[in-house]
């Protein structure tokens, strides 16, 4: 174990040391008379530090050794595809210039509270772990634009997640155990993509119309849990793709008829009764027209005419009378109604004691 930790430390140290820490050519322009402790010199010194990407993906790391160099120069850190179980609080607290953090496909059960110190973080990928919740401090990552938390065990999101992450453009929380989405999510006015499929969602928040920039909404495969959509879903005027497939939705909100920019609607796998299934199977335009007319109270039958499999009239062909005769034109063209008595006449008062059930009874009448 000691050897393994030493190896991991050496690997991390080697990767860190590969970063270019050479002084910038700008340093030669600094006047020798400038005081090394003057404010202008400190500013130049900060500009000279070059931010670096560190890639430690797929190195079978079980933990992160304490590096001896300044973590403040790292802007992108990739720790994905390892066996890491915990991110130290002290590590994230020192990644002050971090813009992208990728820790997907590890064995992490909780994120450190100090993740809220990453005020410059724009991309966070924590998918493929064992997270049950996200720390409330994540709302302090106000520069966050993309949050990927797919394939975890999340049962809820922070209640106030939408109040502070006003720059969030993409939120992916599919393949978790979410029962609902917090109401504050409707404050994410910059959101473009919301992927919440493969959860246990029972309800969607009202006031979805506040997501004025949302273009893709996927709440498919919540199966028996999601039974209805809020009427506000039709007020997402910039929505391009809506996937509600494989739920228990029976009625599409009439407001969907107002979604003129919608170009893709996936609704298969639902027991939809309104609009009728034959309308849903036609096209998105047919669905929009149906719902729009229903909303305006001037619904007409837009379903296609079903093919009739009956005959106009049946002809009594004398098949069982043992005689053949010439057919008239009307009989040949099948325009004459038959004169056969229906079988239920056997159950009438004229034939007491005889019923269709006795005729088709499985008894053996020849047993006597």
């Amino acid at each position: 174990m000691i050897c393994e930790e030493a190896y991991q430390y050496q690997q991390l140290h080697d990767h860190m040391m590969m970063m270019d820490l050479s002084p910038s050519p700008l340093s030669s322009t600094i006047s020798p008379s400038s005081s090394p402790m003057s404010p202008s010199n400190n500013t130049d010194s900060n500009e000279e530090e070059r931010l670096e990407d560190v890639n430690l993906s797929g190195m079978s790391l079980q933990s992160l050794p304490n590096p001896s160099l300044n973590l403040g120069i790292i802007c992108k850190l990739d720790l994905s595809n390892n066996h890491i179980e915990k991110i130290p609080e002290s590590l994230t607290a020192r990644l002050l210039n971090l813009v992208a953090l990728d820790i997907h496909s590890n064995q992490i059960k909780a994120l450190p509270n100090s993740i809220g110190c990453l005020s410059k973080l724009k991309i966070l990928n924590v998918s493929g772990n064992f997270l049950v919740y996200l720390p409330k401090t994540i709302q302090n990552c106000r520069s966050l634009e993309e949050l990927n938390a797919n394939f975890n065990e999340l049962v809820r999101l922070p209640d106030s997640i939408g109040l502070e992450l006003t720059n969030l453009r993409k939120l992916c929380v599919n393949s978790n155990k979410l029962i609902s989405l917090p109401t504050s999510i409707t404050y994410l006015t910059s959101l473009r993509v919301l992927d919440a499929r493969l959860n246990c969602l029972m309800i969607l928040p009202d006031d979805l119309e506040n997501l004025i920039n949302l273009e893709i909404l996927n709440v498919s495969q919540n199966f028996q849990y999601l039974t209805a959509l809020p009427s506000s879903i039709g007020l997402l005027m910039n929505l391009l793709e809506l996937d509600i497939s494989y739920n228990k939705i029976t009625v599409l909100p009439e407001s969907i008829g107002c979604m003129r920019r919608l170009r893709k609607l996936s609704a298969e796998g639902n027991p939809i009764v309104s609009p009728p299934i034959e309308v849903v199977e036609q096209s998105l335009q047919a669905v929009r027209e149906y719902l729009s007319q229903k909303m305006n109270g001037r619904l007409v039958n837009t379903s296609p005419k079903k093919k009739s499999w009956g005959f106009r009239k049946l002809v009594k062909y004398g098949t069982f009378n043992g005689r053949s005769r010439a057919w008239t034109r009307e009989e040949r063209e099948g325009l004459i109604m038959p004169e056969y008595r229906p079988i239920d006449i056997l159950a009438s008062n004229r034939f007491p004691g005889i019923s269709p059930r006795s005729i088709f009874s499985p008894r053996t009448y020849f047993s006597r």
Side-chain angles (χ1 to χ4, degrees):
M1 181 62 68
I2 295 177
C3 295
E4 183 179 354
E5 290 181 355
Y7 171 77
Q8 293 176 358
Y9 179 85
Q10 184 62 38
Q11 292 289 333
L12 178 60
H13 185 267
D14 292 344
H15 275 74
M16 295 293 191
M17 293 305 294
M18 283 194 301
M19 297 186 296
D20 185 8
L21 300 180
S22 58
S24 169
L26 293 175
S27 61
S28 60
T29 63
I30 301 176
S31 171
S33 60
S34 300
S35 170
M37 297 302 294
S38 64
S40 60
N41 188 49
N42 288 338
T43 303
D44 291 339
S45 177
N46 290 335
E47 291 176 354
E48 290 170 15
E49 285 187 342
R50 215 171 132 193
L51 299 179
E52 296 290 342
D53 300 353
V54 177
N55 188 349
L56 299 176
S57 178
M59 296 186 63
S60 300
L61 296 175
Q62 295 183 357
S63 61
L64 293 175
N66 237 339
S68 57
L69 65 165
N70 181 18
L71 296 178
I73 63 174
I74 301 176
C75 67
K76 295 182 181 179
L77 178 59
D78 188 351
L79 301 171
S80 62
N81 294 292
N82 283 294
H83 307 297
I84 300 171
E85 297 182 1
K86 185 178 181 181
I87 301 294
E89 294 276 356
S90 58
L91 177 70
T92 49
R94 288 184 288 167
L95 294 168
L96 300 180
N97 287 302
L98 197 65
V99 175
L101 175 60
D102 189 350
I103 54 176
H104 83 266
S105 301
N106 278 284
Q107 299 177 22
I108 301 171
K109 296 181 180 179
L111 295 178
N113 289 321
S114 59
I115 198 168
C117 298
L118 306 180
S119 59
K120 297 182 180 180
L121 190 66
K122 293 185 177 181
I123 300 175
L124 176 60
N125 189 345
V126 296
S127 62
N129 283 284
F130 299 99
L131 300 175
V132 178
Y133 65 93
L134 298 176
K136 185 178 179 180
T137 54
I138 199 172
Q139 68 183 17
N140 296 328
C141 302
R142 293 181 176 87
S143 299
L144 199 63
E145 297 180 359
E146 181 176 331
L147 174 57
N148 187 338
N150 300 330
F151 295 97
N152 279 283
E153 298 180 6
L154 296 174
V155 295
R156 62 180 176 84
L157 296 176
D159 291 336
S160 56
I161 191 172
L163 299 179
E164 303 292 343
L165 301 182
T166 55
N167 292 307
L168 197 64
R169 298 166 60 90
K170 185 176 182 180
L171 176 60
C172 297
V173 288
N174 76 62
S175 306
N176 281 284
K177 299 178 181 179
L178 297 173
I179 297 176
S180 63
L181 297 174
T183 304
S184 67
I185 207 171
T186 59
Y187 289 86
L188 299 174
T189 54
S190 298
L191 199 64
R192 299 300 200 271
V193 177
L194 175 56
D195 183 0
R197 61 191 149 138
L198 283 165
N199 278 282
C200 305
L201 293 179
M202 302 178 68
I203 191 173
L204 296 181
D206 293 326
D207 302 327
L208 287 178
E209 68 272 14
N210 294 333
L211 302 177
I212 55 176
N213 289 301
L214 193 65
E215 296 177 350
I216 298 176
L217 175 59
N218 192 334
V219 290
S220 65
Q221 300 176 77
N222 284 278
F223 301 106
Q224 73 270 23
Y225 301 101
L226 189 59
T227 58
L229 298 173
S231 58
S232 58
I233 200 169
L235 302 178
L236 296 172
M237 294 305 176
N238 285 310
L239 199 66
L240 301 177
E241 298 181 15
L242 174 60
D243 193 341
I244 57 171
S245 57
Y246 298 99
N247 290 300
K248 279 287 185 178
I249 298 169
T250 57
V251 177
L252 297 184
E254 297 173 6
S255 59
I256 291 181
C258 302
M259 303 174 73
R260 296 303 171 190
R261 293 199 65 192
L262 191 66
R263 65 187 184 193
K264 181 180 179 182
L265 172 63
S266 300
E268 66 271 15
N270 284 283
I272 295 177
V273 296
S274 179
I277 190 62
E278 55 266 22
V279 175
V280 177
E281 291 176 348
Q282 284 184 62
S283 65
L284 172 59
Q285 183 61 24
V287 172
R288 268 199 299 245
E289 289 180 2
Y290 179 94
L291 294 174
S292 179
Q293 292 174 2
K294 184 178 179 181
M295 181 170 52
N296 295 324
R298 49 188 177 85
L299 182 63
V300 294
N301 186 14
T302 57
S303 59
K305 294 183 178 180
K306 294 186 177 180
K307 192 173 183 180
S308 175
W309 295 104
F311 298 99
R312 286 178 293 175
K313 291 184 180 180
L314 297 178
V315 179
K316 183 177 70 174
Y317 284 112
T319 308
F320 302 103
N321 59 13
R323 295 179 292 119
S324 60
R325 59 182 178 85
W327 306 106
T328 64
R329 182 182 64 82
E330 289 81 8
E331 289 174 326
R332 284 196 303 270
E333 294 180 359
L335 299 176
I336 300 179
M337 284 293 293
E339 298 175 356
Y340 297 119
R341 284 184 306 187
I343 197 169
D344 7 341
I345 200 171
L346 298 174
S348 65
N349 294 332
R350 295 176 57 192
F351 298 90
I354 302 177
S355 67
R357 180 174 296 180
S358 63
I359 293 176
F360 299 104
S361 173
R363 286 192 235 169
T364 54
Y365 292 100
F366 302 99
S367 58
R368 295 182 181 178

